[in-house]
Amino acid sequence: MNFNSTSGLFCFPLVDSATYIEYVVATYKAMLEGTDDGKMGKLIFGRVRADSVPIGGSCVIEHRRKIGKQFFEAKLLCNDEKIGSLYFGQQ
C-alpha cells in the first residue's frame, strides 16, 4: 500500500483474509491521519458507495474534499475507472 495525504494506491487482493472494503477504509483512514485535519478528532467510518466491487486490480483512493468542519469525501477508482465514493466523519 502506498499513500500520501491526497491519494492511496493498493493492488487488490493483497491478502486472502481482507476484503476490498477493509482495504479502502484502512487506506483512507491512514491518509487522513497523515494530515492536520485528520489529527483533529477521532475518525469514524461513514459510508462507502460503490457501483461494483473489483475482483482485482490497481485501486486508488483520491481525497476529493473536506465537507464542513468534520466530514471528508474521497473518490474510489479501480483500473483507472471511477467505481464509487467514500465518506468519513470525525468525532
Side-chain angles (χ1 to χ4, degrees), residues 37 40 63-73 90:
D37 286 336
M40 291 174 41
H63 175 66
R64 186 158 177 255
R65 63 187 174 148
K66 182 176 180 182
I67 305 168
K69 292 184 179 183
Q70 297 176 313
F71 210 71
F72 304 93
E73 179 183 13
Q90 205 171 43

Side-chain angles (χ1 to χ4, degrees), residues 59-88:
C59 301
V60 176
I61 297 147
E62 290 182 358
H63 175 66
R64 186 158 177 255
R65 63 187 174 148
K66 182 176 180 182
I67 305 168
K69 292 184 179 183
Q70 297 176 313
F71 210 71
F72 304 93
E73 179 183 13
K75 182 169 45 171
L76 304 177
L77 298 111
C78 192
N79 300 321
D80 297 322
E81 240 181 86
K82 183 180 179 199
I83 62 167
S85 301
L86 173 66
Y87 303 89
F88 258 112

Side-chain angles (χ1 to χ4, degrees), residues 24-32 61 63 72-74 86 88:
V24 167
V25 170
T27 301
Y28 195 41
K29 185 174 179 182
M31 287 167 49
L32 289 174
I61 297 147
H63 175 66
F72 304 93
E73 179 183 13
L86 173 66
F88 258 112

Side-chain angles (χ1 to χ4, degrees), residues 8-71:
L9 166 72
F10 61 90
C11 292
F12 183 75
L14 293 174
V15 180
D16 292 334
S17 62
T19 68
Y20 175 74
I21 299 300
E22 289 170 325
Y23 282 116
V24 167
V25 170
T27 301
Y28 195 41
K29 185 174 179 182
M31 287 167 49
L32 289 174
E33 287 176 342
T35 68
D36 288 337
D37 286 336
K39 294 176 184 172
M40 291 174 41
K42 182 179 178 182
L43 293 169
I44 55 173
F45 177 67
R47 179 172 77 170
V48 174
R49 292 183 59 194
D51 297 329
S52 62
V53 175
I55 294 171
S58 175
C59 301
V60 176
I61 297 147
E62 290 182 358
H63 175 66
R64 186 158 177 255
R65 63 187 174 148
K66 182 176 180 182
I67 305 168
K69 292 184 179 183
Q70 297 176 313
F71 210 71

